[in-house]
Amino acid sequence: MSAVGAIVRDDLLHLSPEALSHAANAGIVKRAVRELAGGYRPRLSVDAQGLLEAVFDDGVSCRWPAGVAIQDARCSCNAAGVCRHRVIAALAYRESASAQAEQAAAPLPVAAPVADADDAALARVVPATLLTQAGLLRDAGISIEVRQRGGGDPCDTARLPSATVRYWGGAALETARCDCVRAAACEHVALGVWAFRAAREQDAAAPQLTVRLGSAGQAHAVERAPFEQLVEAIARHGVSQGADAWMQGLSTARIAATEAAWLSLLLADLETWGEGYAKRRALYDAAQGVDLLAELGLRLAAGGLPGHAGAVLGIGQAGETALDRVRLMCLGARTQRDGEARRTTLVMADIDTGTRLVLAHAWQVPEARRADEAAIRAAERLAPGVLLEALARGQLLAQQAARRPDGSVRLARARSSQNSVLPQAADWAQLGAPVRFDSVAALRAEQLAHPTAALQPRHAARRFIVFSPAEVEPPAYDANEQGVAMLLRDAQGAPLLVQRFHERHAPHALDAMADAASGRHGALRHVAGVLSWQHGVPSLEPWALGCEGGLLVPDFAAASGALGALPLGVARPAGADPCTLQLEALRQHLATLLHHGLARLPRGWAGESAPLVRRLEAAGLRELSQRLQAVTREAAAAQARPADAMLAPALLQLLALRQLHEDAALLDRGDYQSP
């Protein structure tokens, strides 16, 4: 192989196999790496203009001008897409440049930050029409999360509500790859550059930051009145009288939220919650209404601030974004049971961008066929060529899929060739934040970076993470709770609790946990599931367990008998502090109000408010105490004079403040006793 020349192609130095997999596909890159290692190497040369020429012994040649993306380089093989010759040329150049740098004892150039890319670079890469479209999206107001290289991501990354952009070469924008259908040189690349510039001005040292772009976004707002009228109807009639009593208010609020994606999703959840009691669903929980209305209060309050409406309310979000060819690896699945109905949620990771996406599938198990549930599940299809159970343990190659604003995915259903399911080895080490973590400190930092979930973009897998432990302590079975608990520790010894409890429709889930911890399938490398915090200690409900010998999905597991070998024990997190206890007591107290409504509110409700007010005061929650007093007075006035009193404003303020206190107390440290 000839020398690459004095001209250094900075844009090629950062094209690692991982970056090239995003530009081509994993199969071509693996073949290229294998052939390069086997001796299939081109002769390389770079001229004064930076043109890279790679000539292979079999006569194939590639010409790659400077500032051109890999898909636009020319190869004499005339392949329809990115061919292995261009991938080999990129890898060989990178290898040769590294060898020359070592000989000269000089470091390779480091990619310039994305924020260094100027308007001329943007205009050179992104077509004028797409730049104009990006400008319109920016001016309308958009919130973008930027993550700097070295902060857990392999390169500078911009996470937009509808797309994720990786800047593999930093300011060399021709190397940027997006997961939208255009894949590169799209409007999302420009938006990401503007976001990195804004992040530099805001805090250049922050490894991750959420920035808001746009000035016209200050003009966006929604009218509060329809939402307050809905809350008033819920408070007066409650859920116990049926959702019909507040359907008119819900309909009016929906019209007001037409352009606000997060509010529309929130209203849909409120409707589902209200129908839950009417249809006597097992999953109904009155306290869920407290959380939903608290989110509504917070979004309405923050959305009224200048420049925040777009991000907080979801104004201007695209309905769907068409995706490029994607490779989605399943990180776990969970099934909810409600009578004969089942709903299975699968959390997928886009390997190229490290983005969490969600597939959901509803199915039925007639009570007469309850014993055949496993067989019914095995035959369920999400789309042509995609079996539910196979995908839960595998990975999906999909074309013509679409991504919704909340991270859910719609698969193409035209023909099976558009979707292919392949096995996987549960090797998730290539994933980074915000999906995979290997330390409790990193989990805590991620939580602190987004302390108020109710103000973040709504995402179907917001609390889903993968944790990679350094040590796994033996699990124990709690016979009273019918659950298994085991403790994971990171390299610093910090604990993470993994807990799962028995459910009738997933009879062997606890067996799977015992299996994974026993070492029967090799060392436990990863645990994926929904994260919560118990008095400062992170806790996971496992959806999947990645072992050296393969992937275990508890909901789909078969009987193994491993549960019977576990010792008995009890997982005992530290007792809750007085503040947390009173916050939960207030949550349940308000849940009673929302369930019964003022019309059927138990006589003792107002009397129970008085001691709760005193306990809140004693716990240092003085403002909450005073607001609860105000709501109690307003409730009494509304019962006495229904036509004159308005309870909704005071109730929304109380609910929002309680949620903020809960978020603030979420990461208070607590001790943990092993099972």
Side-chain angles (χ1 to χ4, degrees), residues 480-500:
N480 291 326
E481 298 291 339
Q482 289 190 304
V484 169
M486 63 179 171
L487 204 62
L488 311 181
R489 294 192 181 273
D490 62 16
Q492 290 72 42
L496 180 141
L497 179 64
V498 179
Q499 284 183 304
R500 183 67 186 264

Side-chain angles (χ1 to χ4, degrees), residues 1 78 136 165 173 182 186 196 198 207 218 233 251 257 263 285 358 364 387 390 437 455 461 499-500 605-606 611 657:
M1 180 174 63
N78 294 321
L136 294 174
V165 186
L173 300 183
R182 290 190 180 94
C186 60
F196 271 101
Q218 297 178 1
S251 178
L263 286 182
D285 179 8
V358 173
Q364 296 279 331
L387 287 173
F437 300 85
L455 296 180
Q499 284 183 304
R500 183 67 186 264
W605 187 85
L657 183 61

Side-chain angles (χ1 to χ4, degrees), residues 219-358:
H220 287 309
V222 295
E223 187 181 354
R224 288 183 61 98
F227 301 96
E228 290 185 347
Q229 290 169 7
L230 169 62
V231 176
E232 189 72 23
I234 294 174
R236 288 180 181 272
H237 302 288
V239 176
S240 61
Q241 296 187 54
D244 291 344
W246 41 276
M247 277 299 109
Q248 183 177 352
L250 181 62
S251 178
T252 305
R254 275 180 168 162
I255 295 173
T258 301
E259 300 297 327
W262 310 145
L263 286 182
S264 295
L265 291 170
L266 175 55
L267 293 175
D269 285 350
L270 266 174
E271 182 178 15
T272 301
W273 169 71
E275 289 177 345
Y277 180 77
K279 296 182 179 180
R280 299 300 188 266
R281 289 173 178 162
L283 300 178
Y284 169 76
D285 179 8
Q288 184 187 6
V290 174
D291 302 333
L292 291 172
L293 292 185
E295 180 182 349
L296 178 61
L298 285 168
R299 289 194 184 276
L300 290 175
L305 300 176
H308 287 66
V312 173
L313 305 179
I315 293 177
Q317 294 297 329
E320 284 188 348
T321 300
L323 296 177
D324 189 17
R325 179 198 67 251
V326 291
R327 180 164 63 106
L328 304 177
M329 185 175 292
C330 186
L331 302 180
R334 192 77 166 87
T335 299
Q336 286 187 317
R337 172 178 175 263
D338 190 0
E340 295 184 347
R342 304 288 187 273
R343 181 178 176 84
T344 299
T345 302
L346 301 97
V347 176
M348 319 292 291
D350 184 335
I351 299 302
D352 292 330
T353 63
T355 302
R356 288 167 296 189
L357 299 170
V358 173

